Amino acid sequence: MNGIIQRFAVALSSTALLVAAPTTLFANDGQPHRSLLVSLPAGGCTLTILSDGSGRINYGAAPHTVKVAARTFDFDRIAESLSSDSLPWPGSAVDTVPPSVVLPGSNEPRLVEDASVVRNLLEQGWRARLPPLAISYDHENRQHAWVKRVCAFE
C-alpha cells in the first residue's frame, strides 16, 4: 500500500464542520504515517502534515492538491504545540469560521485561536511545494495556480 495518502474528508456546512474518519496511510517502508490537518478557515485552505515532515495543501473538498517536500515541518513539535494551544470545537454555531486543527489519532476538529499560527504553517508549506512533474506539468501547474489563488498565497 505504498504511497496511500491519509485524508480526512472535510466539508463545511453553515453551522458546523463535518469531519469523516481517516483512512490508513502507509509510508514507503510500509509503516503507518501519522498526520495532522490545519485549516484556515476550518474546511477551507487545508494543510495535511505527515510524520515525515511532508505535506499536501488543498482547499476544502476540491481535487486540486499541491505536494510539500519531506522534512519541511517538525511534525512532533507542531503536534505538541497545537495540542496545547487549541481548544475543543464549540458545541454551538459560531458567527465566523475560525481556523482549526485535527490532531494525530483523532478525527475531531479543534479550534485554533491564533490564526497566524495556521497561516504561517500554510505559507511554509507553500514555499516548500514540490514542482509539477514533467509528465503531467500542465495539469499540475493548473492545480498549483488554483491553490495559490484560493488560498491567497504570494
Side-chain angles (χ1 to χ4, degrees):
M1 294 233 154
N2 290 347
I4 295 176
I5 304 302
Q6 178 176 358
R7 300 288 306 200
F8 290 92
V10 178
L12 184 62
S13 74
S14 60
T15 59
L17 176 70
L18 307 173
V19 181
T23 57
T24 303
L25 171 147
F26 295 93
N28 288 335
D29 62 4
Q31 297 299 312
H33 261 306
R34 295 179 299 145
S35 67
L36 65 86
L37 277 76
V38 291
S39 296
L40 182 68
C45 191
T46 300
L47 170 66
T48 303
I49 301 174
L50 304 177
S51 56
D52 68 354
S54 67
R56 297 214 182 309
I57 302 171
N58 65 290
Y59 193 92
H64 309 294
T65 301
V66 172
K67 297 175 186 173
V68 177
R71 295 182 299 282
T72 297
F73 301 101
D74 182 337
F75 179 86
D76 291 325
R77 183 186 61 77
I78 292 168
E80 182 178 325
S81 175
L82 287 172
S83 179
S84 63
D85 293 341
S86 61
L87 304 168
W89 195 259
S92 59
V94 291
D95 292 336
T96 60
V97 183
S100 68
V101 61
V102 178
L103 296 166
S106 172
N107 65 350
E108 296 295 323
R110 293 180 58 84
L111 173 71
V112 179
E113 289 188 297
D114 187 354
S116 69
V117 170
V118 175
R119 185 65 194 179
N120 289 340
L121 289 170
L122 286 162
E123 292 284 348
Q124 181 180 353
W126 181 251
R127 288 189 303 272
R129 68 191 177 278
L130 295 173
L133 297 174
I135 57 173
S136 61
Y137 181 81
D138 289 340
H139 174 70
E140 285 191 39
N141 201 39
R142 285 191 302 273
Q143 289 192 47
H144 281 223
W146 190 88
V147 169
K148 178 181 181 181
R149 182 176 52 82
V150 298
C151 291
F153 291 128
E154 295 294 321

